[in-house]
Amino acid sequence: MPLRKKLIAGNWKMHKTPAEGARLAAEIVAAVGKEPAVDIVLCPPYTALESVGRAIDGQEVRLGAQNMHPEKNGAFTGECSAEMLRALYVTHVILGHSERRAYFVETDDFINRKVLAALPNQLKPILCVGETLAEREAGQTFAVVQQQVEGGLKGVTAEQITTVIIAYEPVWAIGTGKVATPAQAQEVHAFIRGILAKLYGAARAQKVRILYGGSMKPANAAELLAQPDIDGGLIGGAALDARSFVDLVNAAVAAQ
Ligand code: PGA
């Protein structure tokens, strides 16, 4: 048994109606079989959670949401709580995606509140971190990533940390076709694991999965997934097509 089972998560972003989502999920389920050797999570938009949930019912594929509000309920127009997601059998939730940070002005403090609300509701956070091109060129990659990791995890206990998943997604690589080199990605993944070791001890840090995201495709996945600290992928564009998503799952199985 490897220390960390690889995980491939599809971030569908604002794509797929309920019917389209159910079709894509059914194709994926049929192709990966009953007992895939890696963890698989599909994250459709809120409106397709129920239909996708039905399509993967009884299978070894999990359901994730792309966002969540930290409060239990209340006057927060347009938002969904952890409890509401759980009621749809959601098990994972992407938090702090760079698109939410950039377009919806989410701060580390707000993202941290979501992480702290997800955990007691049995939702595994996929906490996204990553620098912009300007930050990388200014030599700020490590400082930015450190602030986002530490800020997002404030108050997360040593018991909880092994259920958290971190996704390193350099903003300049998302949806651009410009993938980080395996060495660039590994360097930051190892840095993140170092932060986790400082916060929670080396043994626990070894159990936390750190995914890479940003233009990951079947053609570049094997090299990335072969890196010692890359434990899977958070896939955008290539998750919208069953063939390429399943190829990524197979690449993760081969790298496991
Ligand atoms: P991409 O998106 O694979 O399309 O670059 C990844 C993400 O934003 O999670």
PDB file of all heavy atoms in Angstrom, residues 9-13 94 97-99 128 167 169-178 212-217 233-240 248, ligand 1:
ATOM      1  N   ALA A   9      -9.174  14.476  -9.551  1.00  0.00           N
ATOM      2  CA  ALA A   9     -10.432  15.194  -9.363  1.00  0.00           C
ATOM      3  C   ALA A   9     -10.723  16.028 -10.604  1.00  0.00           C
ATOM      4  O   ALA A   9      -9.826  16.690 -11.138  1.00  0.00           O
ATOM      5  CB  ALA A   9     -10.343  16.097  -8.135  1.00  0.00           C
ATOM      6  N   GLY A  10     -11.956  15.980 -11.055  1.00  0.00           N
ATOM      7  CA  GLY A  10     -12.371  16.779 -12.204  1.00  0.00           C
ATOM      8  C   GLY A  10     -13.108  18.015 -11.731  1.00  0.00           C
ATOM      9  O   GLY A  10     -14.129  17.911 -11.045  1.00  0.00           O
ATOM     10  N   ASN A  11     -12.578  19.175 -12.071  1.00  0.00           N
ATOM     11  CA  ASN A  11     -13.237  20.436 -11.752  1.00  0.00           C
ATOM     12  C   ASN A  11     -13.938  20.898 -13.027  1.00  0.00           C
ATOM     13  O   ASN A  11     -13.305  21.422 -13.936  1.00  0.00           O
ATOM     14  CB  ASN A  11     -12.179  21.456 -11.293  1.00  0.00           C
ATOM     15  CG  ASN A  11     -12.763  22.840 -11.102  1.00  0.00           C
ATOM     16  OD1 ASN A  11     -13.984  23.012 -11.107  1.00  0.00           O
ATOM     17  ND2 ASN A  11     -11.902  23.832 -10.929  1.00  0.00           N
ATOM     18  N   TRP A  12     -15.234  20.680 -13.058  1.00  0.00           N
ATOM     19  CA  TRP A  12     -15.982  20.976 -14.291  1.00  0.00           C
ATOM     20  C   TRP A  12     -16.262  22.462 -14.469  1.00  0.00           C
ATOM     21  O   TRP A  12     -16.769  22.872 -15.505  1.00  0.00           O
ATOM     22  CB  TRP A  12     -17.305  20.183 -14.309  1.00  0.00           C
ATOM     23  CG  TRP A  12     -17.137  18.698 -14.379  1.00  0.00           C
ATOM     24  CD1 TRP A  12     -15.970  17.987 -14.363  1.00  0.00           C
ATOM     25  CD2 TRP A  12     -18.191  17.721 -14.504  1.00  0.00           C
ATOM     26  NE1 TRP A  12     -16.220  16.642 -14.455  1.00  0.00           N
ATOM     27  CE2 TRP A  12     -17.576  16.453 -14.544  1.00  0.00           C
ATOM     28  CE3 TRP A  12     -19.582  17.793 -14.566  1.00  0.00           C
ATOM     29  CZ2 TRP A  12     -18.309  15.265 -14.650  1.00  0.00           C
ATOM     30  CZ3 TRP A  12     -20.323  16.622 -14.668  1.00  0.00           C
ATOM     31  CH2 TRP A  12     -19.682  15.369 -14.713  1.00  0.00           C
ATOM     32  N   LYS A  13     -15.992  23.236 -13.453  1.00  0.00           N
ATOM     33  CA  LYS A  13     -16.253  24.689 -13.499  1.00  0.00           C
ATOM     34  C   LYS A  13     -17.701  24.940 -13.948  1.00  0.00           C
ATOM     35  O   LYS A  13     -18.583  24.164 -13.582  1.00  0.00           O
ATOM     36  CB  LYS A  13     -15.220  25.384 -14.396  1.00  0.00           C
ATOM     37  CG  LYS A  13     -13.787  25.013 -13.978  1.00  0.00           C
ATOM     38  CD  LYS A  13     -12.725  25.864 -14.582  1.00  0.00           C
ATOM     39  CE  LYS A  13     -11.358  25.395 -14.072  1.00  0.00           C
ATOM     40  NZ  LYS A  13     -10.249  26.223 -14.511  1.00  0.00           N
ATOM     41  N   ILE A  94     -14.046  21.796  -3.306  1.00  0.00           N
ATOM     42  CA  ILE A  94     -12.926  22.641  -3.728  1.00  0.00           C
ATOM     43  C   ILE A  94     -13.083  23.990  -3.026  1.00  0.00           C
ATOM     44  O   ILE A  94     -14.151  24.602  -3.095  1.00  0.00           O
ATOM     45  CB  ILE A  94     -12.944  22.846  -5.260  1.00  0.00           C
ATOM     46  CG1 ILE A  94     -12.789  21.507  -5.997  1.00  0.00           C
ATOM     47  CG2 ILE A  94     -11.859  23.831  -5.689  1.00  0.00           C
ATOM     48  CD1 ILE A  94     -13.007  21.606  -7.520  1.00  0.00           C
ATOM     49  N   HIS A  97     -10.315  28.164  -4.894  1.00  0.00           N
ATOM     50  CA  HIS A  97      -9.808  28.087  -6.265  1.00  0.00           C
ATOM     51  C   HIS A  97      -9.387  29.495  -6.719  1.00  0.00           C
ATOM     52  O   HIS A  97     -10.016  30.480  -6.342  1.00  0.00           O
ATOM     53  CB  HIS A  97     -10.887  27.519  -7.195  1.00  0.00           C
ATOM     54  CG  HIS A  97     -10.348  27.210  -8.550  1.00  0.00           C
ATOM     55  ND1 HIS A  97     -10.165  28.180  -9.500  1.00  0.00           N
ATOM     56  CD2 HIS A  97      -9.912  26.046  -9.107  1.00  0.00           C
ATOM     57  CE1 HIS A  97      -9.645  27.613 -10.589  1.00  0.00           C
ATOM     58  NE2 HIS A  97      -9.481  26.320 -10.374  1.00  0.00           N
ATOM     59  N   SER A  98      -8.357  29.557  -7.540  1.00  0.00           N
ATOM     60  CA  SER A  98      -7.829  30.885  -7.932  1.00  0.00           C
ATOM     61  C   SER A  98      -8.878  31.711  -8.668  1.00  0.00           C
ATOM     62  O   SER A  98      -8.833  32.945  -8.612  1.00  0.00           O
ATOM     63  CB  SER A  98      -6.582  30.731  -8.787  1.00  0.00           C
ATOM     64  OG  SER A  98      -6.892  30.070  -9.983  1.00  0.00           O
ATOM     65  N   GLU A  99      -9.817  31.051  -9.354  1.00  0.00           N
ATOM     66  CA  GLU A  99     -10.868  31.831 -10.016  1.00  0.00           C
ATOM     67  C   GLU A  99     -11.785  32.479  -8.980  1.00  0.00           C
ATOM     68  O   GLU A  99     -12.283  33.592  -9.172  1.00  0.00           O
ATOM     69  CB  GLU A  99     -11.655  30.927 -10.984  1.00  0.00           C
ATOM     70  CG  GLU A  99     -10.837  30.640 -12.241  1.00  0.00           C
ATOM     71  CD  GLU A  99     -11.099  29.308 -12.889  1.00  0.00           C
ATOM     72  OE1 GLU A  99     -12.159  28.703 -12.650  1.00  0.00           O
ATOM     73  OE2 GLU A  99     -10.220  28.857 -13.651  1.00  0.00           O
ATOM     74  N   CYS A 128      -7.100  25.049  -2.592  1.00  0.00           N
ATOM     75  CA  CYS A 128      -6.273  25.434  -3.743  1.00  0.00           C
ATOM     76  C   CYS A 128      -5.373  26.611  -3.405  1.00  0.00           C
ATOM     77  O   CYS A 128      -5.823  27.594  -2.807  1.00  0.00           O
ATOM     78  CB  CYS A 128      -7.156  25.827  -4.916  1.00  0.00           C
ATOM     79  SG  CYS A 128      -8.256  24.524  -5.457  1.00  0.00           S
ATOM     80  N   ALA A 167      -4.306  21.500  -3.275  1.00  0.00           N
ATOM     81  CA  ALA A 167      -4.048  21.507  -4.715  1.00  0.00           C
ATOM     82  C   ALA A 167      -3.159  22.691  -5.036  1.00  0.00           C
ATOM     83  O   ALA A 167      -3.538  23.840  -4.768  1.00  0.00           O
ATOM     84  CB  ALA A 167      -5.356  21.592  -5.494  1.00  0.00           C
ATOM     85  N   GLU A 169      -1.980  24.952  -7.720  1.00  0.00           N
ATOM     86  CA  GLU A 169      -2.377  25.330  -9.068  1.00  0.00           C
ATOM     87  C   GLU A 169      -1.774  26.685  -9.421  1.00  0.00           C
ATOM     88  O   GLU A 169      -2.358  27.727  -9.080  1.00  0.00           O
ATOM     89  CB  GLU A 169      -3.905  25.416  -9.171  1.00  0.00           C
ATOM     90  CG  GLU A 169      -4.618  24.128  -8.834  1.00  0.00           C
ATOM     91  CD  GLU A 169      -6.006  24.089  -9.469  1.00  0.00           C
ATOM     92  OE1 GLU A 169      -6.804  25.007  -9.223  1.00  0.00           O
ATOM     93  OE2 GLU A 169      -6.264  23.157 -10.222  1.00  0.00           O
ATOM     94  N   PRO A 170      -0.618  26.681 -10.075  1.00  0.00           N
ATOM     95  CA  PRO A 170      -0.059  27.969 -10.487  1.00  0.00           C
ATOM     96  C   PRO A 170      -1.053  28.665 -11.417  1.00  0.00           C
ATOM     97  O   PRO A 170      -1.512  28.061 -12.391  1.00  0.00           O
ATOM     98  CB  PRO A 170       1.236  27.594 -11.218  1.00  0.00           C
ATOM     99  CG  PRO A 170       1.196  26.121 -11.454  1.00  0.00           C
ATOM    100  CD  PRO A 170       0.182  25.536 -10.522  1.00  0.00           C
ATOM    101  N   VAL A 171      -1.411  29.892 -11.099  1.00  0.00           N
ATOM    102  CA  VAL A 171      -2.480  30.579 -11.835  1.00  0.00           C
ATOM    103  C   VAL A 171      -2.126  30.699 -13.321  1.00  0.00           C
ATOM    104  O   VAL A 171      -2.982  30.561 -14.193  1.00  0.00           O
ATOM    105  CB  VAL A 171      -2.747  31.971 -11.213  1.00  0.00           C
ATOM    106  CG1 VAL A 171      -3.815  32.724 -11.989  1.00  0.00           C
ATOM    107  CG2 VAL A 171      -3.183  31.816  -9.751  1.00  0.00           C
ATOM    108  N   TRP A 172      -0.849  30.871 -13.612  1.00  0.00           N
ATOM    109  CA  TRP A 172      -0.404  31.036 -15.001  1.00  0.00           C
ATOM    110  C   TRP A 172      -0.533  29.746 -15.815  1.00  0.00           C
ATOM    111  O   TRP A 172      -0.400  29.769 -17.041  1.00  0.00           O
ATOM    112  CB  TRP A 172       1.045  31.545 -15.047  1.00  0.00           C
ATOM    113  CG  TRP A 172       1.986  30.801 -14.133  1.00  0.00           C
ATOM    114  CD1 TRP A 172       2.266  31.108 -12.831  1.00  0.00           C
ATOM    115  CD2 TRP A 172       2.752  29.635 -14.442  1.00  0.00           C
ATOM    116  NE1 TRP A 172       3.146  30.202 -12.302  1.00  0.00           N
ATOM    117  CE2 TRP A 172       3.472  29.289 -13.279  1.00  0.00           C
ATOM    118  CE3 TRP A 172       2.905  28.843 -15.585  1.00  0.00           C
ATOM    119  CZ2 TRP A 172       4.326  28.187 -13.220  1.00  0.00           C
ATOM    120  CZ3 TRP A 172       3.762  27.743 -15.529  1.00  0.00           C
ATOM    121  CH2 TRP A 172       4.454  27.431 -14.361  1.00  0.00           C
ATOM    122  N   ALA A 173      -0.791  28.646 -15.153  1.00  0.00           N
ATOM    123  CA  ALA A 173      -0.911  27.367 -15.871  1.00  0.00           C
ATOM    124  C   ALA A 173      -2.368  26.949 -16.052  1.00  0.00           C
ATOM    125  O   ALA A 173      -2.643  25.982 -16.770  1.00  0.00           O
ATOM    126  CB  ALA A 173      -0.159  26.276 -15.108  1.00  0.00           C
ATOM    127  N   ILE A 174      -3.295  27.658 -15.405  1.00  0.00           N
ATOM    128  CA  ILE A 174      -4.694  27.226 -15.442  1.00  0.00           C
ATOM    129  C   ILE A 174      -5.366  27.654 -16.734  1.00  0.00           C
ATOM    130  O   ILE A 174      -5.462  28.841 -17.035  1.00  0.00           O
ATOM    131  CB  ILE A 174      -5.470  27.777 -14.225  1.00  0.00           C
ATOM    132  CG1 ILE A 174      -4.917  27.161 -12.943  1.00  0.00           C
ATOM    133  CG2 ILE A 174      -6.959  27.491 -14.367  1.00  0.00           C
ATOM    134  CD1 ILE A 174      -5.576  27.659 -11.687  1.00  0.00           C
ATOM    135  N   GLY A 175      -5.796  26.659 -17.499  1.00  0.00           N
ATOM    136  CA  GLY A 175      -6.547  26.929 -18.721  1.00  0.00           C
ATOM    137  C   GLY A 175      -5.721  27.589 -19.813  1.00  0.00           C
ATOM    138  O   GLY A 175      -6.253  28.063 -20.808  1.00  0.00           O
ATOM    139  N   THR A 176      -4.412  27.629 -19.642  1.00  0.00           N
ATOM    140  CA  THR A 176      -3.558  28.346 -20.591  1.00  0.00           C
ATOM    141  C   THR A 176      -2.805  27.400 -21.518  1.00  0.00           C
ATOM    142  O   THR A 176      -2.205  27.850 -22.499  1.00  0.00           O
ATOM    143  CB  THR A 176      -2.496  29.170 -19.829  1.00  0.00           C
ATOM    144  OG1 THR A 176      -1.742  28.259 -19.006  1.00  0.00           O
ATOM    145  CG2 THR A 176      -3.134  30.226 -18.951  1.00  0.00           C
ATOM    146  N   GLY A 177      -2.787  26.111 -21.180  1.00  0.00           N
ATOM    147  CA  GLY A 177      -1.978  25.172 -21.945  1.00  0.00           C
ATOM    148  C   GLY A 177      -0.511  25.218 -21.533  1.00  0.00           C
ATOM    149  O   GLY A 177       0.309  24.457 -22.012  1.00  0.00           O
ATOM    150  N   LYS A 178      -0.179  26.162 -20.617  1.00  0.00           N
ATOM    151  CA  LYS A 178       1.215  26.294 -20.146  1.00  0.00           C
ATOM    152  C   LYS A 178       1.371  25.525 -18.851  1.00  0.00           C
ATOM    153  O   LYS A 178       1.150  26.064 -17.769  1.00  0.00           O
ATOM    154  CB  LYS A 178       1.508  27.766 -19.853  1.00  0.00           C
ATOM    155  CG  LYS A 178       2.258  28.457 -20.957  1.00  0.00           C
ATOM    156  CD  LYS A 178       2.826  29.759 -20.442  1.00  0.00           C
ATOM    157  CE  LYS A 178       2.126  30.924 -21.094  1.00  0.00           C
ATOM    158  NZ  LYS A 178       2.219  32.167 -20.391  1.00  0.00           N
ATOM    159  N   TYR A 212      -1.594  18.404  -8.205  1.00  0.00           N
ATOM    160  CA  TYR A 212      -1.172  19.466  -9.114  1.00  0.00           C
ATOM    161  C   TYR A 212      -2.353  19.827 -10.012  1.00  0.00           C
ATOM    162  O   TYR A 212      -3.110  18.942 -10.449  1.00  0.00           O
ATOM    163  CB  TYR A 212       0.012  19.023  -9.997  1.00  0.00           C
ATOM    164  CG  TYR A 212       0.261  20.037 -11.086  1.00  0.00           C
ATOM    165  CD1 TYR A 212       0.955  21.212 -10.810  1.00  0.00           C
ATOM    166  CD2 TYR A 212      -0.290  19.869 -12.361  1.00  0.00           C
ATOM    167  CE1 TYR A 212       1.106  22.188 -11.780  1.00  0.00           C
ATOM    168  CE2 TYR A 212      -0.137  20.844 -13.342  1.00  0.00           C
ATOM    169  CZ  TYR A 212       0.560  21.995 -13.040  1.00  0.00           C
ATOM    170  OH  TYR A 212       0.692  22.972 -13.999  1.00  0.00           O
ATOM    171  N   GLY A 213      -2.530  21.101 -10.311  1.00  0.00           N
ATOM    172  CA  GLY A 213      -3.559  21.529 -11.254  1.00  0.00           C
ATOM    173  C   GLY A 213      -3.044  22.652 -12.131  1.00  0.00           C
ATOM    174  O   GLY A 213      -2.293  23.520 -11.673  1.00  0.00           O
ATOM    175  N   GLY A 214      -3.453  22.630 -13.390  1.00  0.00           N
ATOM    176  CA  GLY A 214      -3.037  23.665 -14.336  1.00  0.00           C
ATOM    177  C   GLY A 214      -2.599  23.021 -15.632  1.00  0.00           C
ATOM    178  O   GLY A 214      -1.466  22.561 -15.749  1.00  0.00           O
ATOM    179  N   SER A 215      -3.556  22.934 -16.589  1.00  0.00           N
ATOM    180  CA  SER A 215      -3.272  22.362 -17.913  1.00  0.00           C
ATOM    181  C   SER A 215      -2.716  20.939 -17.849  1.00  0.00           C
ATOM    182  O   SER A 215      -1.893  20.547 -18.669  1.00  0.00           O
ATOM    183  CB  SER A 215      -2.335  23.268 -18.712  1.00  0.00           C
ATOM    184  OG  SER A 215      -2.957  24.519 -18.944  1.00  0.00           O
ATOM    185  N   MET A 216      -3.154  20.170 -16.863  1.00  0.00           N
ATOM    186  CA  MET A 216      -2.746  18.763 -16.818  1.00  0.00           C
ATOM    187  C   MET A 216      -3.570  18.007 -17.852  1.00  0.00           C
ATOM    188  O   MET A 216      -4.798  18.142 -17.906  1.00  0.00           O
ATOM    189  CB  MET A 216      -2.985  18.200 -15.422  1.00  0.00           C
ATOM    190  CG  MET A 216      -2.268  16.890 -15.171  1.00  0.00           C
ATOM    191  SD  MET A 216      -2.256  16.607 -13.379  1.00  0.00           S
ATOM    192  CE  MET A 216      -1.557  15.003 -13.294  1.00  0.00           C
ATOM    193  N   LYS A 217      -2.873  17.224 -18.670  1.00  0.00           N
ATOM    194  CA  LYS A 217      -3.510  16.504 -19.782  1.00  0.00           C
ATOM    195  C   LYS A 217      -2.905  15.109 -19.845  1.00  0.00           C
ATOM    196  O   LYS A 217      -1.820  14.886 -19.293  1.00  0.00           O
ATOM    197  CB  LYS A 217      -3.173  17.210 -21.107  1.00  0.00           C
ATOM    198  CG  LYS A 217      -3.490  18.688 -21.185  1.00  0.00           C
ATOM    199  CD  LYS A 217      -4.709  18.913 -22.045  1.00  0.00           C
ATOM    200  CE  LYS A 217      -5.307  20.296 -22.028  1.00  0.00           C
ATOM    201  NZ  LYS A 217      -5.174  21.225 -20.983  1.00  0.00           N
ATOM    202  N   GLY A 233      -4.110  14.894  -9.474  1.00  0.00           N
ATOM    203  CA  GLY A 233      -4.360  16.102 -10.249  1.00  0.00           C
ATOM    204  C   GLY A 233      -5.742  16.663 -10.017  1.00  0.00           C
ATOM    205  O   GLY A 233      -6.695  15.931  -9.742  1.00  0.00           O
ATOM    206  N   LEU A 234      -5.830  17.985 -10.096  1.00  0.00           N
ATOM    207  CA  LEU A 234      -7.119  18.679 -10.151  1.00  0.00           C
ATOM    208  C   LEU A 234      -7.242  19.169 -11.590  1.00  0.00           C
ATOM    209  O   LEU A 234      -6.474  20.024 -12.029  1.00  0.00           O
ATOM    210  CB  LEU A 234      -7.159  19.833  -9.149  1.00  0.00           C
ATOM    211  CG  LEU A 234      -8.465  20.648  -9.086  1.00  0.00           C
ATOM    212  CD1 LEU A 234      -9.677  19.757  -8.846  1.00  0.00           C
ATOM    213  CD2 LEU A 234      -8.384  21.714  -7.993  1.00  0.00           C
ATOM    214  N   ILE A 235      -8.173  18.587 -12.292  1.00  0.00           N
ATOM    215  CA  ILE A 235      -8.213  18.714 -13.749  1.00  0.00           C
ATOM    216  C   ILE A 235      -9.386  19.590 -14.174  1.00  0.00           C
ATOM    217  O   ILE A 235     -10.537  19.302 -13.813  1.00  0.00           O
ATOM    218  CB  ILE A 235      -8.410  17.318 -14.404  1.00  0.00           C
ATOM    219  CG1 ILE A 235      -7.581  16.223 -13.701  1.00  0.00           C
ATOM    220  CG2 ILE A 235      -8.144  17.390 -15.900  1.00  0.00           C
ATOM    221  CD1 ILE A 235      -6.101  16.392 -13.788  1.00  0.00           C
ATOM    222  N   GLY A 236      -9.120  20.604 -14.972  1.00  0.00           N
ATOM    223  CA  GLY A 236     -10.186  21.448 -15.497  1.00  0.00           C
ATOM    224  C   GLY A 236     -10.601  20.982 -16.876  1.00  0.00           C
ATOM    225  O   GLY A 236     -11.387  20.050 -17.036  1.00  0.00           O
ATOM    226  N   GLY A 237     -10.048  21.611 -17.892  1.00  0.00           N
ATOM    227  CA  GLY A 237     -10.440  21.345 -19.284  1.00  0.00           C
ATOM    228  C   GLY A 237     -10.483  19.875 -19.651  1.00  0.00           C
ATOM    229  O   GLY A 237     -11.453  19.406 -20.268  1.00  0.00           O
ATOM    230  N   ALA A 238      -9.460  19.134 -19.273  1.00  0.00           N
ATOM    231  CA  ALA A 238      -9.373  17.722 -19.678  1.00  0.00           C
ATOM    232  C   ALA A 238     -10.344  16.822 -18.903  1.00  0.00           C
ATOM    233  O   ALA A 238     -10.431  15.624 -19.176  1.00  0.00           O
ATOM    234  CB  ALA A 238      -7.942  17.219 -19.508  1.00  0.00           C
ATOM    235  N   ALA A 239     -11.077  17.402 -17.949  1.00  0.00           N
ATOM    236  CA  ALA A 239     -12.063  16.609 -17.197  1.00  0.00           C
ATOM    237  C   ALA A 239     -13.438  16.651 -17.859  1.00  0.00           C
ATOM    238  O   ALA A 239     -14.371  15.971 -17.411  1.00  0.00           O
ATOM    239  CB  ALA A 239     -12.170  17.129 -15.763  1.00  0.00           C
ATOM    240  N   LEU A 240     -13.561  17.449 -18.910  1.00  0.00           N
ATOM    241  CA  LEU A 240     -14.873  17.624 -19.542  1.00  0.00           C
ATOM    242  C   LEU A 240     -15.139  16.599 -20.629  1.00  0.00           C
ATOM    243  O   LEU A 240     -16.214  16.577 -21.230  1.00  0.00           O
ATOM    244  CB  LEU A 240     -14.971  19.045 -20.130  1.00  0.00           C
ATOM    245  CG  LEU A 240     -14.931  20.164 -19.088  1.00  0.00           C
ATOM    246  CD1 LEU A 240     -14.858  21.525 -19.767  1.00  0.00           C
ATOM    247  CD2 LEU A 240     -16.153  20.082 -18.162  1.00  0.00           C
ATOM    248  N   LEU A 248      -6.364  10.179 -17.802  1.00  0.00           N
ATOM    249  CA  LEU A 248      -5.664  10.739 -16.644  1.00  0.00           C
ATOM    250  C   LEU A 248      -5.769   9.809 -15.443  1.00  0.00           C
ATOM    251  O   LEU A 248      -4.806   9.624 -14.699  1.00  0.00           O
ATOM    252  CB  LEU A 248      -6.233  12.127 -16.313  1.00  0.00           C
ATOM    253  CG  LEU A 248      -5.804  13.215 -17.289  1.00  0.00           C
ATOM    254  CD1 LEU A 248      -6.683  14.429 -17.213  1.00  0.00           C
ATOM    255  CD2 LEU A 248      -4.353  13.597 -17.018  1.00  0.00           C
TER     256      LEU A 248
HETATM  257  P1  PGA B   1      -7.186  23.401 -16.272  1.00  0.00           P
HETATM  258  O1  PGA B   1      -7.869  23.877 -14.888  1.00  0.00           O
HETATM  259  O2  PGA B   1      -6.886  21.944 -16.136  1.00  0.00           O
HETATM  260  O3  PGA B   1      -8.208  23.689 -17.322  1.00  0.00           O
HETATM  261  O4  PGA B   1      -5.935  24.227 -16.441  1.00  0.00           O
HETATM  262  C1  PGA B   1      -7.446  23.382 -13.654  1.00  0.00           C
HETATM  263  C2  PGA B   1      -8.236  24.058 -12.545  1.00  0.00           C
HETATM  264  O5  PGA B   1      -8.524  25.246 -12.660  1.00  0.00           O
HETATM  265  O6  PGA B   1      -8.583  23.422 -11.524  1.00  0.00           O
END
